[in-house]
């Protein structure tokens, strides 16, 4: 009985080794037939990871130099080299810096230039401030048009010109979130008028 069990164990071991060798041979054949594709895929992954890392490093360097230039400009607004660096490295931060200076000086020329900027936030703020300086609500951007009308109407309410304020508030578009604010202002004023 011991010999039969030993033979059976040897057969099982040989069949396990055969299966292992068979799988190694299949893997080797697969690799030989697909070797170019596998190497190409590995190279593509390595190049992609390298390109992503390089791009990330370049972006970080640009961001760092733009921040350094902005810090220098906050200390000395007349630093032309820092201004040029900021313009080259981060166009949006450059536009915000120009907007900050234009607002501080009420510079209509700079605001006019910035009101045609590609950045919609800079464009809207510059247009709004320019219209405030010119007292012209028709030149205001869509974003701030309702705000200008609300502000003018509120100013009229403070001067007890309720009818004129209602006309200003009526000009605010119904889709504007400021329409409800205007209606609340008028509804708060009406009881006060009745009590007088």
């Amino acid at each position: 009985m011991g010999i039969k069990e030993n033979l059976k164990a040897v057969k099982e071991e040989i069949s396990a080794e055969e299966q292992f060798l068979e799988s190694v041979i299949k893997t080797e054949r697969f690799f030989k037939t697909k070797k170019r594709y596998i190497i190409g895929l590995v190279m593509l992954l390595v190049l992609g990871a390298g390109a992503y890392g390089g791009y990330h490093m370049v972006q970080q360097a640009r961001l760092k130099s733009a921040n350094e230039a902005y810090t220098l400009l906050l200390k000395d607004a007349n630093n032309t080299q820092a201004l040029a660096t900021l313009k080259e490295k981060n166009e949006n931060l450059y536009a915000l810096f120009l907007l900050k200076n234009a607002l501080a000086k009420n510079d209509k020329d700079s605001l006019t230039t910035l009101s045609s900027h590609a950045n919609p936030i800079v464009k809207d703020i510059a247009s709004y401030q320019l219209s405030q300086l010119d007292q012209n609500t028709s030149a205001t951007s869509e974003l701030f048009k309702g705000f200008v009308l609300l502000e003018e109407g509120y100013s009229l309410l403070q001067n007890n010109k309720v009818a004129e304020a209602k006309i200003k508030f009526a000009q605010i578009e119904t889709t504007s979130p400021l329409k409800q604010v205007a209606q609340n202002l008028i509804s708060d004023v009406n009881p006060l008028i009745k009590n007088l």
Side-chain angles (χ1 to χ4, degrees):
M1 284 282 209
I3 295 178
K4 285 185 180 182
E5 289 175 2
N6 287 342
L7 283 176
K8 186 176 180 183
V10 169
K11 283 182 183 180
E12 287 176 5
E13 190 176 319
I14 290 176
S15 76
E17 287 178 8
E18 284 178 359
Q19 289 174 352
F20 175 74
L21 285 174
E22 189 176 314
S23 66
V24 167
I25 292 170
K26 285 181 181 178
T27 304
E28 187 178 348
R29 283 186 195 155
F30 176 79
F31 184 74
K32 281 185 179 180
T33 58
K34 309 289 184 190
K35 182 179 6 179
R36 289 184 182 172
Y37 299 116
I38 294 171
I39 291 173
L41 180 64
V42 169
M43 288 178 60
L44 186 64
L45 289 173
V46 169
L47 288 175
Y52 177 76
Y55 176 76
H56 185 68
M57 286 176 39
V58 167
Q59 288 300 99
Q60 290 298 321
R62 287 177 62 91
L63 182 63
K64 183 179 178 184
S65 64
N67 288 340
E68 288 171 355
Y70 186 71
T71 303
L72 289 174
L73 285 170
L74 289 177
K75 293 176 183 173
D76 177 21
N78 297 323
N79 188 337
T80 56
Q81 183 180 4
L83 191 63
T85 301
L86 186 62
K87 183 177 183 179
E88 177 188 337
K89 301 293 182 182
N90 192 334
E91 182 69 29
N92 288 328
L93 189 57
Y94 171 75
L96 287 173
F97 177 76
L98 292 180
L99 180 65
K100 175 186 145 317
N101 286 343
L103 293 175
K105 298 174 185 173
N106 286 332
D107 184 3
K108 287 184 180 181
D109 295 332
S110 296
L111 288 172
T112 303
T113 303
L114 290 169
S115 67
S116 62
H117 194 270
N119 186 324
I121 295 172
V122 171
K123 180 179 177 179
D124 284 343
I125 293 172
S127 296
Y128 172 72
Q129 290 297 333
L130 190 60
S131 70
Q132 290 296 72
L133 291 174
D134 292 340
Q135 295 297 317
N136 179 9
T137 59
S138 63
T140 306
S141 69
E142 288 299 317
L143 180 64
F144 288 107
K145 191 171 188 175
F147 184 72
V148 170
L149 292 169
L150 182 70
E151 188 176 41
E152 290 173 355
Y154 182 71
S155 176
L156 290 169
L157 282 177
Q158 288 178 325
N159 295 326
N160 292 326
K161 297 178 181 178
V162 177
E164 293 172 9
K166 283 183 179 182
I167 292 170
K168 286 290 183 184
F169 291 153
Q171 293 174 5
I172 298 174
E173 293 185 29
T174 56
T175 58
S176 174
L178 297 173
K179 187 68 171 182
Q180 185 62 43
V181 175
Q183 288 173 348
N184 290 343
L185 284 172
I186 289 295
S187 67
D188 288 344
V189 169
N190 283 337
L192 294 174
I193 294 171
K194 290 177 185 175
N195 291 336
L196 294 175

